[in-house]
Amino acid sequence: MILEVETLCPARGVADRIAAHLLEARLIACANRSRTVVSLYRWEGEVRAEEEYSLRVKTRIELADAVEAAIVELHPYELPAVLRHEVQANAGYEAWVLAETREA
């Protein structure tokens, strides 16, 4: 099993900076940035609609806390969503993720 961590970013550059930092630190093996999505949510008593970029990264399960801490530190939002999903991948891909990330 590996871990996919997802967050939403207000701009493409923010998503790219977070991904680059995580890659440089070998906290993740890869990142996927989507085109914009529209997020609808309630914040401070108001319903809002904002365009955001989804950023999904793949890592070792034991690096989850370090990945989350880095995202929260680099993210401009007061309260960024950091969603963790344990995923089963094909053996070769899982081995690649493990080889490309540092041990916890």
Side-chain angles (χ1 to χ4, degrees), residues 2 9 19-20 22 28 32 38 55 60-61 71 75 81 87 92 96:
I2 60 172
C9 299
L22 295 171
I28 63 170
N32 305 109
V38 175
L55 177 65
R60 297 168 174 262
I61 291 171
I71 290 171
H75 208 290
V87 295
W96 176 77

Side-chain angles (χ1 to χ4, degrees), residues 7-21 31-37 51-56 74-77:
T7 192
L8 293 164
C9 299
R12 180 179 175 169
V14 171
D16 290 349
R17 279 190 302 276
I18 291 171
H21 173 84
N32 305 109
R33 176 187 27 85
S34 73
R35 296 177 185 210
T36 58
V37 297
E51 284 191 349
E52 297 178 295
Y53 289 84
S54 176
L55 177 65
R56 296 178 311 162
L74 297 166
H75 208 290
Y77 288 170

Side-chain angles (χ1 to χ4, degrees), residues 2 28-30 58-60 92-101:
I2 60 172
I28 63 170
C30 67
K58 280 61 166 202
T59 190
R60 297 168 174 262
Y93 186 81
E94 183 174 333
W96 176 77
V97 168
L98 297 178
E100 291 301 317
T101 53

Side-chain angles (χ1 to χ4, degrees), residues 39-86:
S39 296
L40 304 163
Y41 59 96
R42 183 179 304 278
W43 183 254
E44 297 177 342
E46 290 182 29
V47 174
R48 299 183 185 189
E50 304 285 341
E51 284 191 349
E52 297 178 295
Y53 289 84
S54 176
L55 177 65
R56 296 178 311 162
V57 301
K58 280 61 166 202
T59 190
R60 297 168 174 262
I61 291 171
E62 60 268 23
L63 290 175
D65 291 339
V67 169
E68 180 176 336
I71 290 171
V72 169
E73 178 183 329
L74 297 166
H75 208 290
Y77 288 170
E78 180 181 337
L79 182 62
V82 181
L83 309 175
R84 301 176 184 188
H85 310 280
E86 287 186 23

